[in-house]
Amino acid sequence: MKFIKIGLILAALALFVFACAENNKLTTTNSNSPSAAAPTTAQPTASLDELAAAKKIYTDDCAKCHKEDGAGGKVVIDGKTIKAASLISAYSKKDDDAEIAGHISEGISDEGMPAFKDRLNDGQIKDLVKYIRRDLQGK
């Protein structure tokens, strides 16, 4: 009788260990699968360092006009009143990444937005677009 109890306990323990190992294997496999790790948008993800650098650029260069939350509006820069575009409006969310990058790079002189192509490289502009999409527009 003692051997039967010990046998049952060992069998239950073996099943428990097997079930835990199988569950861990499924969790690990699923978290590394392309479908589980894929972002919900077609845009490539940016590393935390890239987004931190982009946030600093936004705070230092963009937030003066577009506000911290991207709402934009009227501001006075160097004695000139401009109406900065909202980066969080439905209209702005429709712009594709290349269009936003072009506005950052080339500026929009009619609206008072300066060109940043001489101050930011292409990688910084791409990261800034990713930051705007993710942190301001929630994409």
Side-chain angles (χ1 to χ4, degrees), residues 14-136:
L15 283 172
F16 178 75
V17 170
F18 177 75
C20 288
E22 199 60 33
N23 187 28
N24 189 27
K25 180 179 174 184
L26 288 174
T27 303
T28 304
T29 302
N30 285 341
S31 67
N32 291 330
S33 71
S35 62
T40 56
T41 64
Q43 298 183 22
T45 57
S47 73
L48 292 178
D49 289 342
E50 291 168 333
L51 288 174
K55 181 178 182 175
K56 178 162 178 28
I57 291 169
Y58 182 85
T59 301
D60 293 347
D61 295 324
C62 308
K64 296 170 194 163
C65 298
H66 295 283
K67 310 287 190 270
E68 287 292 326
D69 65 354
K74 288 185 180 179
V75 293
V76 178
I77 302 291
D78 298 330
K80 183 179 177 184
T81 301
I82 62 170
K83 185 172 188 269
S86 168
L87 301 175
I88 58 174
S89 70
Y91 180 78
S92 292
K93 290 178 180 181
K94 291 179 187 176
D95 292 344
D96 63 18
D97 291 359
E99 190 172 356
I100 295 171
H103 292 320
I104 295 168
S105 179
E106 301 301 321
I108 307 171
S109 59
D110 295 347
E111 297 179 17
M113 180 170 168
F116 286 89
K117 63 184 172 191
D118 295 333
R119 291 189 264 177
L120 301 174
N121 64 40
D122 289 342
Q124 290 171 311
I125 291 172
K126 277 183 171 180
D127 292 343
L128 188 54
V129 171
K130 291 176 192 174
Y131 171 78
I132 290 168
R133 291 289 196 205
R134 191 191 92 172
D135 286 22
L136 299 180

